[in-house]
Amino acid sequence: MSMTASYHELTFEALDRLSACADRIVHVIKQRAPVAGAVVLATCNRFELYLDIDAQLTEAGIIHAARHIAGLVAVESGVDAEMALASFRISTGSDTVAHLFTVAAGLDSMVVGEREVAGQVKRALAASHEAGASSPLLEMLFQRAARASKQVAEQTALGHVGRSIVTHSLDVAGQSLPPWSQVRALLVGTGFYAGAVFAELTSRGCADVSVYSPSGRAKTFTAKHQATAVDDLSASLASVDIVLACSGAHNQAASLDRGYVIDKAVLADVARSLVMIDLALHNDIDPTIGALDQVTLVGLADLTEQVPPADAAAIVAARRIIDEAVTDFEDTRMGREADAAVVALRARADERIAEKVAELVESAKRSGETDIDIDAITRRVRGPIHAQLHQHILATRASVREAAKANVPFSADLATHSLLRTE
């Protein structure tokens, strides 16, 4: 089952509030919800929960589970419980598989074909695994999603046509800047996203990059990148051409007694024209700064409206790969469930044979028989039970195929429930 919220349905402000618990909710879900596993995928434009739940749950049971988990999210993020539940789209079975594979391939991104999300999907699984919250089914699901994403990148033109939000933001910013080799840039943030921004800047020829970290990690970042760590934010802002903010350092900003990392007070000494790109879901830059004459401010919401369309043929080819990957995953999953059901059927058959033999031996003893041939009794009992077992195995495999076609859960427990009633 998946519970997904993204820029498709919610404003960035609503996503911001909802995803405030992203770093801890997987622990909460695993501890307080009846799930076998959980993975949380939180990016700048989506907050998604992937859950390994009981396959036998009815539709009402799934809704109940979703309501319970949405309540946990509400408590941890500080939003209203009903608002949290209404924010999520709930899906199960192959619909969940198809959605994750589509997301991982960049087909559900603001900029179709962006590659950052593939790494985010891998890290989401790694984080869940490290927290002890994943499950074998979720491990297989996310690994297959990464494989499908790689196939799309290698076998279609989407990787060339589709561009990341970072790439697009610099395309937009470049229209107001001198040649990149002459640009002085300030990067706010030191996380993975900051690394992607730095790589894109240098690929365009920008060699003068300063780094400011609200959490004090600028020197750690610049030790691995050809950039300069700065401590004085105001002075740095007064000497650069572009600011790219992607720290989302809401807590650090609050500790500085201001709501944003960069506000109007910090810009007091800036008299020159300045392009500012806020890529943080938790805004780093006060949106009202955009009203200043010397500032051109572009945020995620602005970028959403400006993203270029991807090539239609590349999208069709990518979706074909995703469809095949989903079918392959479902075949594998159903095959494993069928194998588990067959193993359970054989075990139940052996139990039934042993039970029946014991009944017949006890009956013979009560009748006064002394020369009881247990092997002969076992052979006599085994024949009809194995014949029935064969029919049940055939029926089970057929049920697995029908469940896959109808996109409904299949349970190995139900397959053995009525097994071997004949004497």
Side-chain angles (χ1 to χ4, degrees):
M1 180 178 87
S2 62
M3 298 173 63
T4 62
S6 75
Y7 71 98
H8 289 298
E9 302 88 14
L10 303 179
T11 64
F12 286 109
E13 181 182 0
L15 268 176
D16 184 9
R17 293 182 62 200
L18 198 63
S19 62
C21 64
D23 59 343
R24 59 185 181 276
I25 193 62
V26 69
H27 299 278
V28 175
I29 291 174
K30 195 68 173 71
Q31 292 171 0
R32 304 181 193 172
V35 299
V39 176
V40 176
L41 175 61
T43 74
C44 63
N45 51 32
R46 68 181 66 253
F47 177 59
E48 303 186 342
L49 311 175
Y50 292 85
L51 310 163
D52 185 357
I53 63 173
D54 187 351
Q56 298 181 55
L57 283 181
T58 62
E59 182 176 353
I62 290 172
I63 292 175
H64 177 75
R67 182 175 292 278
H68 175 65
I69 292 168
L72 297 178
V73 171
V75 170
E76 295 299 319
S77 62
V79 303
D80 177 79
E82 289 303 317
M83 179 268 189
L85 181 63
S87 298
F88 287 114
R89 286 185 294 115
I90 302 167
S91 64
T92 59
S94 62
D95 291 337
T96 291
V97 179
H99 176 73
L100 177 60
F101 286 17
T102 299
V103 168
L107 288 169
D108 193 56
S109 299
M110 288 193 297
V111 181
V112 175
E114 62 121 336
R115 299 304 305 152
E116 275 81 9
V117 70
Q120 291 163 339
V121 167
K122 290 181 180 179
R123 289 191 294 280
L125 176 61
S128 177
H129 184 85
E130 184 177 345
S134 63
S135 70
L137 179 61
L138 289 174
E139 297 270 352
M140 183 174 75
L141 174 64
F142 273 71
Q143 289 166 3
R144 291 294 186 90
R147 183 190 304 176
S149 174
K150 184 177 180 181
Q151 285 181 295
V152 168
E154 293 177 347
Q155 299 176 22
T156 76
L158 198 67
H160 301 290
V161 177
R163 296 174 298 173
S164 74
I165 197 68
V166 173
T167 302
H168 179 58
S169 68
L170 293 184
D171 286 349
V172 172
Q175 300 171 13
S176 306
L177 295 170
W180 284 104
S181 59
Q182 302 172 22
V183 169
R184 292 166 294 179
L186 173 64
L187 180 58
V188 177
T190 55
F192 172 83
Y193 214 22
V197 173
F198 179 82
E200 187 63 27
L201 281 170
T202 55
S203 73
R204 294 175 181 236
C206 181
D208 189 346
V209 182
S210 301
V211 180
Y212 173 78
S213 171
S215 57
R217 291 193 287 264
K219 290 183 179 180
T220 301
F221 183 89
T222 56
K224 301 176 183 178
H225 302 82
Q226 295 297 317
T228 303
V230 296
D231 297 320
D232 190 333
L233 181 58
S234 295
S236 299
L237 288 168
S239 63
V240 297
D241 304 299
I242 182 172
V243 177
L244 297 115
C246 52
S247 77
H250 203 68
N251 292 335
Q252 288 93 334
S255 69
L256 296 173
D257 296 324
R258 59 176 186 262
Y260 303 93
V261 177
I262 300 175
D263 59 11
K264 288 182 178 179
V266 179
L267 285 173
D269 297 329
V270 177
R272 60 205 313 275
S273 295
L274 185 61
V275 176
M276 309 187 79
I277 307 292
D278 194 344
L279 296 170
L281 180 58
H282 301 268
N283 290 98
D284 283 335
I285 302 172
D286 181 351
T288 64
I289 284 176
L292 299 177
D293 292 337
Q294 74 271 32
V295 172
T296 300
L297 175 61
V298 181
L300 278 176
D302 304 307
L303 292 169
T304 303
E305 298 173 356
Q306 300 172 17
V307 291
D311 180 73
I315 292 177
V316 170
R319 291 200 182 282
R320 186 180 303 115
I321 291 173
I322 294 301
D323 289 344
E324 292 173 355
V326 171
T327 298
D328 181 65
F329 175 85
E330 287 297 285
D331 287 346
T332 301
R333 181 175 68 85
M334 288 295 186
R336 290 186 178 184
E337 292 182 357
D339 290 342
V342 169
V343 169
L345 284 167
R346 294 187 186 281
R348 180 66 184 114
D350 289 343
E351 292 173 2
R352 187 66 181 125
I353 290 169
E355 292 168 0
K356 187 61 179 175
V357 167
E359 291 172 6
L360 293 176
V361 168
E362 184 61 28
S363 178
K365 287 179 178 179
R366 287 197 300 268
S367 300
E369 295 184 31
T370 56
D371 187 14
I372 301 173
D373 189 341
I374 296 179
D375 289 339
I377 294 173
T378 301
R379 287 193 296 272
R380 187 168 74 248
V381 170
R382 185 186 294 119
I385 289 180
H386 275 191
Q388 189 183 13
L389 170 64
H390 178 68
Q391 294 302 316
H392 273 268
I393 289 175
L394 293 178
T396 295
R397 295 194 184 281
S399 297
V400 168
R401 290 192 294 271
E402 290 303 316
K405 290 179 182 178
N407 191 26
V408 295
F410 172 81
S411 171
D413 292 336
L414 293 178
T416 60
H417 183 68
S418 59
L419 175 64
L420 308 174
R421 296 300 184 190
T422 21
E423 297 299 326

